[in-house]
Amino acid sequence: MSLEGFKFTKDHEWVKSEADITTIGITDYAQKELGDIVYVELPSPGDKIKKGEACSNIESVKAVNDIYTPVTGEITEVNEALEDTPELINQDPYGSGWIFKIKLESHEELDDLMDQEAYNQYLKGISKE
Amino acid sequence: MKTTKFNKAHYILKGKMIDFFGWDLPVQFSGINDEHNAVRNTGGIFDVSHMGEIFFKGREALEAIQFITSNNAAKLVPGKIQYSALLTERGCFVDDLLVYMIDENHYLLVVNAANSEKDFNWITEKTSKFSVEIQNQSSEYSQIAIQGPVSEKLLSQFVDHDLSSIKYYHFITGQVRGIDSIISRTGYTGEDGFEVYFKSSEDQAVRLFLELVEKGKAEHVVPTGLGARDTLRLEVKMALYGNDIDDSHTVLEADLGWILKLKKGEFIGREPLLKQKETGISRKLIGFELKEKGIPRHGYPVYVDNQEYGMVTSGTFAPYLKKPIGLTYLPIGKAEVGSEFQIGIRNRKVLARVVDTPFYQRK
C-alpha cells in the first residue's frame, strides 16, 4: 500500500499534513500488535498538546496504550465515530480509523519523522530483534 | 524460559508469544475476541501445561489433603473432582486448586502455574506428620484443554471412550491417540469442556495439538491463548489467584463459602474462619459493570463514598457480553446488587454498579 505524504514515528503513529491541518492515527503494524481495539479515549477539540505528550488512549481487550502526539499544536477535530466503533482502527488504520486532527504550531517538527521507506526499514529492524 | 511440550505447535500456528511467569506461552492466535467467542459458540484448544500437578499417595493421603484444604475431600469417590483451596493460618489463600480422587489413598492436586513450587513447598511442610508420599510431577505432565459446546464431539474422535458418560467434575483414565491420559470434564471458561493430562514425548504432544486444531476446523474450533482464557474465566466470575484471591483475603470474603467446610474437622485456617463466620465479614468480592465509558483494569483505584477503598482485582472488556466488567472487594453494606461506587480511570472517576454474577451463564 502506498502511503504518499504519510510520515511515521518510532511509536507507530502516522501523521499526514494537508495545508493547515494534520491528521494523526496509528499504523497497521500498531493495530495488529494491539489486537482487537475495544475503546478509544479521545482528546477534546481545543486541547493544546505538546510534542511527546500522551493525549489519547487506545485499549484492546488486553491492554491500554497511550498515543503520543509527535507534533505540537491545537486539536481541531477528533474522530467521534471511534466512540461507538473503535474497531475502525483495526479495519482501516490509515483511513476511517484516524484519531484526531491538529493545527500545527510549526511544520518543522514533521522533518524529524520517518517517511514510508524509512519506517518500513525500521519495522524490519524490529522484526529481527 | 520454560517451554511446554506443545511449544513448537504455537510457533507453527503463529501464536503471539509472551513470558507468562517464566513460561513461553501464546497470549493469542487469531485475536482475543475471536478466540473468546469461538469458545462460547463452538470451541477452543488451550495449552495449559504450565499448571502444576502434585500427586498424593499413601495410607494417610486423605487425612493430609483434609488438613491442608478447605473443602471436604472425604466426599470424593474415585473419578470425582473437587474445587478447593489451600489456606494460610489466617484463612486466606495460598492458592486455589482442583483435587482429583484417583483411587483410595491416591489423589492428584492441580495448582496454579505461578504457584506450583510455592504450593509444593507449603504442602510438604504442612503434611510432614502424615504418612503420605507427595510428588510434584508438574514438569512431566502436559495439559491440554478443549473447551466449548463442540468439545465432546471433537475430542471423541481422539479417544476410544464414550465421553458422554463423563459428568461435570468427573474424570476417567483412558487413551488419547494412544497416549495414557486423565480425561476430565472441567475447565476455566464457563463452557462444557475437557482437560486432558498426560506424559508424552514432545513430538506426540505437538502432533496431538496440531491434529486437534486441524480436525477442529470443520467445527470452527480455534487454538486459543492466555488472553481469551482470562476474559472467559472473568465473564463467569471464576477467581484468579494473584488478582481476585490472595493471601490477604479470606475464603469467605472471596465469596467462596461453598468450598469451606468448617464441620469436616481440623484444617489449616479453620479457627479464624469459624470466628469470621460468627462475626460476619466486613468486605466481599463482587462483580460490577461500568455505567459510563471506559474499561476497568486490574489495579485501578476503587472509591466508595469518594474515599479510596481498594482496587479493581480483575477487569476487562468482556468480548461475548460486549461490555466492560470487573471484580473488586467492597465493604458490606455497599456490596449489594445495585450499589454504586467509582473507579479511577486515569484522571477520571467513572461510575460503576454492583451486578449479579456470574456475568455470563451458559444455557
Side-chain angles (χ1 to χ4, degrees):
Chain A
M1 163 173 198
S2 169
L3 295 167
E4 192 65 40
F6 283 71
K7 295 264 197 169
F8 302 88
T9 74
K10 287 187 174 171
D11 296 321
H12 309 286
E13 286 107 15
W14 59 258
V15 172
K16 185 159 201 265
S17 222
E18 285 158 314
D20 242 11
I21 296 300
T22 299
T23 308
I24 290 168
I26 65 167
T27 66
D28 189 48
Y29 173 86
Q31 70 80 11
K32 280 188 183 134
E33 280 297 298
L34 287 173
D36 303 311
I37 292 165
V38 290
Y39 181 67
V40 182
E41 194 169 279
L42 295 164
S44 306
D47 283 359
K48 292 199 167 71
I49 51 172
K50 275 203 193 109
K51 177 181 171 176
E53 272 180 2
C55 62
S56 166
N57 273 282
I58 295 189
E59 303 199 26
S60 60
V61 177
K62 202 69 196 154
V64 186
N65 295 272
D66 286 327
I67 300 301
Y68 297 97
T69 167
V71 286
T72 303
E74 185 180 322
I75 307 260
T76 58
E77 195 183 343
V78 298
N79 187 357
E80 280 166 9
L82 296 178
E83 292 201 353
D84 292 322
T85 46
E87 61 272 21
L88 286 175
I89 296 178
N90 293 117
Q91 292 159 3
D92 188 14
Y94 298 114
S96 57
W98 65 277
I99 301 171
F100 59 87
K101 296 187 185 199
I102 182 169
K103 188 165 189 276
L104 289 188
E105 205 163 81
S106 145
H107 276 74
E108 276 166 29
E109 280 176 351
L110 296 173
D111 298 340
D112 300 339
L113 306 178
M114 294 177 271
D115 61 14
Q116 189 181 7
E117 199 189 325
Y119 181 64
N120 287 343
Q121 284 298 356
Y122 175 67
L123 288 182
K124 270 184 200 159
I126 290 174
S127 65
K128 269 184 209 141
E129 269 170 23
Chain B
M1 220 179 325
K2 287 183 279 189
T3 55
T4 73
K5 294 219 164 79
F6 301 117
N7 190 263
K8 275 185 187 152
H10 304 323
Y11 282 88
I12 291 168
L13 296 165
K14 299 198 165 46
K16 189 164 158 188
M17 306 299 282
I18 56 161
D19 177 347
F20 185 76
F21 295 104
W23 291 87
D24 186 38
L25 284 166
V27 64
Q28 64 172 64
F29 292 88
S30 56
I32 295 174
N33 277 343
D34 263 12
E35 294 164 28
H36 182 112
N37 289 316
V39 172
R40 292 270 177 262
N41 296 320
T42 52
I45 297 158
F46 304 71
D47 175 2
V48 279
S49 305
H50 54 300
M51 301 292 284
E53 291 84 9
I54 298 171
F55 286 85
F56 276 54
K57 205 168 187 178
R59 192 167 51 80
E60 291 183 316
L62 176 62
E63 286 80 355
I65 289 168
Q66 287 288 61
F67 183 64
I68 57 163
T69 63
S70 63
N71 208 334
N72 186 3
K75 294 271 183 198
L76 287 169
V77 294
K80 196 163 169 23
I81 304 158
Q82 184 177 73
Y83 179 59
S84 190
L86 298 175
L87 300 182
T88 67
E89 272 84 3
R90 293 167 54 213
C92 299
F93 291 85
V94 175
D95 203 355
D96 61 343
L97 76 167
L98 293 179
V99 180
Y100 286 65
M101 182 169 180
I102 298 167
D103 221 327
E104 205 177 326
N105 305 328
H106 194 190
Y107 294 82
L108 162 64
L109 275 56
V110 180
V111 302
N112 278 303
N115 290 344
S116 68
E117 247 179 76
K118 175 189 87 171
D119 289 355
F120 181 69
N121 293 337
W122 171 271
I123 288 168
T124 47
E125 187 198 317
K126 300 298 175 189
T127 56
S128 56
K129 63 179 174 184
F130 295 100
S131 171
V132 59
E133 190 197 339
I134 299 171
Q135 278 192 330
N136 185 359
Q137 298 200 27
S138 302
S139 57
E140 290 126 80
Y141 270 88
S142 296
Q143 192 195 148
I144 190 167
I146 300 103
Q147 299 281 302
V150 307
S151 49
E152 183 183 300
K153 190 176 170 194
L154 175 60
L155 187 59
S156 291
Q157 300 170 53
F158 291 77
V159 295
D160 48 9
H161 213 282
D162 175 21
L163 294 179
S164 68
S165 66
I166 309 175
K167 284 184 281 184
Y168 190 52
Y169 266 67
H170 285 73
F171 70 96
I172 57 158
T173 52
Q175 289 199 329
V176 176
R177 276 287 182 270
I179 310 165
D180 289 330
S181 304
I182 293 169
I183 305 168
S184 99
R185 196 158 210 148
T186 45
Y188 197 46
T189 61
E191 297 302 327
D192 185 22
F194 298 87
E195 292 174 306
V196 181
Y197 307 76
F198 57 87
K199 292 197 242 188
S200 78
S201 69
E202 194 186 320
D203 275 358
Q204 281 178 303
V206 170
R207 217 179 310 139
L208 176 63
F209 198 96
L210 293 176
E211 221 183 312
L212 275 163
V213 169
E214 192 54 41
K215 282 245 160 50
K217 276 182 186 165
E219 304 282 348
H220 307 286
V221 174
V222 298
T224 311
L226 295 167
R229 182 169 159 82
D230 189 46
T231 53
L232 285 159
R233 68 93 194 165
L234 186 49
E235 272 186 350
V236 288
K237 202 198 176 200
M238 286 180 161
L240 171 62
Y241 184 87
N243 282 28
D244 317 305
I245 54 177
D246 57 26
D247 59 9
S248 61
H249 293 93
T250 72
V251 64
L252 289 170
E253 290 164 348
D255 205 17
L256 288 170
W258 66 276
I259 61 167
L260 178 65
K261 298 292 150 65
L262 292 164
K263 289 179 190 151
K264 72 170 181 168
E266 197 198 338
F267 62 94
I268 299 170
R270 181 169 179 263
E271 291 309 315
L273 289 167
L274 268 173
K275 231 173 260 165
Q276 193 175 46
K277 183 127 200 190
E278 212 179 276
T279 56
I281 47 174
S282 61
R283 58 184 179 180
K284 192 175 112 177
L285 186 69
I286 57 88
F288 65 84
E289 288 175 8
L290 295 191
K291 304 307 293 173
E292 298 170 275
K293 292 220 162 192
I295 299 175
R297 306 278 182 185
H298 172 71
Y300 284 4
V302 165
Y303 300 90
V304 177
D305 297 333
N306 273 316
Q307 297 284 310
E308 185 162 347
Y309 180 76
M311 65 173 199
V312 174
T313 57
S314 286
T316 193
F317 181 83
Y320 186 80
L321 301 171
K322 301 207 190 312
K323 58 185 172 190
I325 58 169
L327 303 177
T328 188
Y329 286 89
L330 285 183
I332 293 299
K334 302 279 178 188
E336 292 73 27
V337 169
S339 292
E340 294 187 332
F341 62 100
Q342 290 175 307
I343 291 168
I345 300 184
R346 291 177 286 277
N347 50 7
R348 295 185 299 143
K349 281 186 182 172
V350 172
L351 191 65
R353 182 186 283 168
V354 180
V355 297
D356 256 330
T357 50
F359 304 97
Y360 163 86
Q361 199 153 26
R362 107 171 98 114
K363 281 155 208 121

